[in-house]
Amino acid sequence: MRLGVLDVGSNTVHLLVVDAHSGARPLPAYSHKAELRLAELLDGEGAINSDGIDRLAATVAEALQVAEDQGVEDLLPFATSAVREAANAEHVLVRVAEETGVKLEVLTGEDEARLTFLASRRWFGWSVGRLLLLDIGGGSLEIAFGQDEEPDAAVSLPLGAGRLTSGWLPGDPPDTEALRSLRRHVRAEIARVVGEFTRFNPPDHAVGTSKTFKQLARIAGAARSSEGPYVERRLSRAGLEEWVPRLAAMTVEERTELPGVSEGRARQLLAGAMVAEAAMDLFRVDEVEICPWALREGVILRRLDHLRGS
């Protein structure tokens, strides 16, 4: 069957269309993205402003038309931290439903971590043993650990690359004091949850998912995306430690010239790198392998599991 996953994130609204069957891996058929940056369309009280709501409804309507054009039989629409944490989240959901007919499911941060963990486990399989997942989105950082398909521990922290950039790094390039303040904040937030994971045995394999980790791996020398998803890509903590000060010294325009860095993501790449470096350091991870699958694939896999069970 042809499934569509509509992901309303902090940076983009992404429709992923896949051909999926129970017991088989989902095959990507079509991808449609719109850069919305909901996390930046807030008023002074933390509510998504009227322009943001109008643009979101229009973007969802457009994605719905694309899904219909692509022959999607089952659409799985969900929203993450930008909508979840908005002061007017309920109003936003009602408006989108009234104007488009799409009822967005708001995932909790723990849901995000668990579903992304499921996707990573299915991608790498049982042979990698105990798995530590790190996922940096626009609004939050997800961390999960376990040796099964359901993690033993899963948390979500408000340390997304877009959120931190808009709230902590206004300069271009940012000044030294702003960088120090952000570094202290990021490390303090992550350090609060490290104990939830270190009570288990150390991970056998650590993975990083989503766009931030992919772009950081690319600028550190990993294969380009055009070489396909089955090429092994890794990112070392040592490499990150070299790149963080280099990114901090660059303007946004200069970062867009780096390999694999899109214009829309260049501004928040530094904050993402600081979160990745802090997480790898505090969890004593020397290297992560980049996983091509993340939250959207986790949602699809969970849906297929439910279909198989019924």
Side-chain angles (χ1 to χ4, degrees):
M1 67 184 302
R2 180 155 282 196
L3 292 175
V5 178
L6 182 58
D7 176 1
V8 177
S10 298
N11 289 314
T12 61
V13 175
H14 187 175
L15 170 69
L16 175 64
V17 178
V18 300
D19 290 320
H21 304 279
S22 181
R25 64 186 177 90
L27 298 173
Y30 193 81
S31 178
H32 172 79
K33 297 180 183 179
E35 194 169 279
L36 196 56
R37 299 197 176 281
L38 271 182
E40 298 177 12
L41 299 175
L42 304 176
D43 61 22
E45 298 179 351
I48 297 174
N49 60 37
S50 58
D51 178 52
I53 298 173
D54 291 341
R55 289 168 60 184
L56 174 58
T59 303
V60 170
E62 180 184 2
L64 188 62
Q65 183 62 56
V66 173
E68 181 181 319
D69 293 343
Q70 293 299 315
V72 169
E73 301 174 54
D74 191 3
L75 183 66
L76 310 174
F78 66 88
T80 56
S81 62
V83 173
R84 180 173 68 237
E85 297 170 13
N88 59 339
E90 192 62 37
H91 173 65
V92 172
L93 296 172
V94 170
R95 276 282 307 278
V96 170
E98 288 177 344
E99 296 187 23
T100 69
V102 174
K103 295 182 179 180
L104 293 171
E105 177 186 0
V106 179
L107 299 180
T108 67
E110 186 175 322
D111 287 338
E112 287 189 55
R114 289 182 175 278
L115 288 166
T116 308
F117 184 87
L118 171 63
S120 298
R121 170 59 75 190
R122 293 279 179 92
W123 180 268
F124 289 110
W126 302 111
S127 62
V128 297
R130 295 182 298 271
L131 194 66
L132 175 66
L133 165 81
L134 301 174
D135 178 287
I136 303 171
S140 58
L141 162 69
E142 275 68 52
I143 308 168
F145 171 87
Q147 57 186 359
D148 298 317
E149 291 196 339
E150 278 291 322
D152 297 314
V155 299
S156 178
L157 300 173
L159 297 178
R163 177 200 297 268
L164 296 179
T165 300
S166 60
W168 294 78
L169 300 177
D172 184 23
D175 61 55
T176 302
E177 187 52 43
L179 289 170
R180 286 176 179 167
S181 296
L182 178 57
R183 185 179 188 275
R184 288 193 296 268
H185 171 69
V186 166
R187 287 178 173 261
E189 287 289 310
I190 296 174
R192 290 194 186 108
V193 302
V194 168
E196 296 182 34
F197 296 84
T198 54
R199 61 193 176 93
F200 301 104
N201 290 323
D204 299 307
H205 198 70
V207 302
T209 67
S210 297
K211 197 70 172 181
T212 294
F213 268 112
K214 290 177 181 177
Q215 290 190 340
L216 290 172
R218 179 71 185 102
I219 67 173
R224 63 186 64 190
S225 58
S226 61
E227 295 184 35
Y230 301 110
V231 176
E232 186 179 277
R233 296 172 175 87
R234 294 181 178 273
L235 175 65
S236 69
R237 175 154 46 106
L240 267 178
E241 289 171 350
E242 292 180 6
W243 268 103
V244 168
R246 293 173 65 180
L247 291 171
M250 292 180 178
T251 63
V252 171
E253 184 176 354
E254 289 170 334
R255 291 179 210 152
T256 62
E257 299 174 4
L258 296 171
V261 177
S262 63
E263 183 177 351
R265 299 272 182 166
R267 182 167 174 259
Q268 58 185 256
L269 188 62
L270 171 58
M274 294 175 70
V275 173
E277 180 193 18
M280 292 174 70
D281 184 20
L282 290 168
F283 281 94
R284 300 180 181 178
V285 171
D286 293 326
E287 183 179 68
V288 295
E289 184 171 359
I290 306 303
C291 180
W293 282 0
L295 177 59
R296 286 181 288 274
E297 288 78 11
V299 171
I300 292 168
L301 292 168
R302 181 58 51 82
R303 175 63 171 162
L304 290 175
D305 288 346
H306 287 165
L307 289 174
R308 185 188 309 177
S310 61

